Amino acid sequence: PRPYFLLGSAYVEAGEDRKAIRIFEAAQRFPKYLAEAEGNLGAIYLRLGRLDDAIRYLRLAQQPISVGKPITATSLVHLSNALAARGETGESIDVLANALPATVQYYANEYSLVTFALAVQYDRNEQRGAAFDVLDHMQTQLTSSLGATVQNTLGMMRFAPAEDQHYYLGLLYEV
């Protein structure tokens, strides 16, 4: 099963989306890797602008966030961005807010990515007070700098569409 993901990722990097889709669809046969395959399919469809297909696969890929499973956090952020692109900003915020535990004691990359994405969605929805509350809480819980932590977590994300990365980095630089 792992070679499917390596080959699929290579096709994504080469811009061969149709071939990548076929590979990730084939990878869905392996239950252990089902969420990862669906997350990759959702990201590809999001990048292609096929929001309904993207949302369908990204919803299927939803799992509780767990440390060491970056695909789950990435899929949640992609789902939130897809919902926001479709004009469902309230639901895009809910996806992220409901995925986070009530209190986060340790901000691993996965929690940092989802938490920062929540701040981004609040900011996009012009709820700047809520966005900065999320960021303030995150900063008080971090042992290192907010900027360095968020920059590291954004590095694990391949944005779809790519211009979303500019919004995320803009908010980071504003903070």
Side-chain angles (χ1 to χ4, degrees):
R2 188 57 42 206
Y4 282 98
F5 293 101
L6 295 174
L7 183 58
S9 297
Y11 282 137
V12 167
E13 291 297 321
E16 299 282 342
D17 291 325
R18 289 179 193 210
K19 290 179 182 176
I21 288 169
R22 283 197 302 271
I23 293 295
F24 291 127
E25 284 175 343
Q28 288 180 293
R29 293 179 294 164
F30 303 99
K32 181 178 178 183
Y33 300 101
L34 184 60
E36 188 173 350
E38 292 165 341
N40 282 304
L41 285 166
I44 292 168
Y45 285 125
L46 180 58
R47 197 172 49 261
L48 294 174
R50 293 174 50 183
L51 294 178
D52 291 336
D53 291 327
I55 289 169
R56 179 171 48 93
Y57 279 109
L58 293 166
R59 282 195 191 283
L60 291 171
Q62 277 189 341
Q63 294 180 342
I65 303 170
S66 58
V67 175
K69 293 230 170 199
I71 189 68
T72 303
T74 302
S75 293
L76 285 168
V77 173
H78 282 315
L79 176 58
S80 178
N81 289 338
L83 290 166
R86 197 161 71 177
E88 298 175 25
T89 51
E91 192 171 348
S92 74
I93 290 170
D94 289 345
V95 161
L96 298 170
N98 292 334
L100 290 168
T103 58
V104 176
Q105 298 300 321
Y106 168 71
Y107 273 91
N109 285 342
E110 293 78 15
Y111 291 115
S112 296
L113 178 61
V114 173
T115 303
F116 191 76
L118 178 60
V120 166
Q121 293 304 340
Y122 277 132
D123 188 66
R124 282 182 167 167
N125 199 31
E126 297 189 18
Q127 297 181 42
R128 288 179 179 60
F132 283 98
D133 285 346
V134 168
L135 294 170
D136 285 342
H137 182 265
M138 190 176 175
Q139 177 62 47
T140 59
Q141 297 295 321
L142 286 170
T143 56
S144 61
S145 129
L146 175 69
T149 300
V150 171
Q151 245 176 342
N152 288 339
T153 60
L154 292 180
M156 71 182 205
M157 181 83 183
R158 181 177 178 171
F159 286 89
E163 58 265 13
D164 276 353
Q165 183 176 13
H166 298 294
Y167 198 101
Y168 278 70
L169 291 174
L171 182 60
L172 175 61
Y173 296 140
E174 184 179 337
V175 172

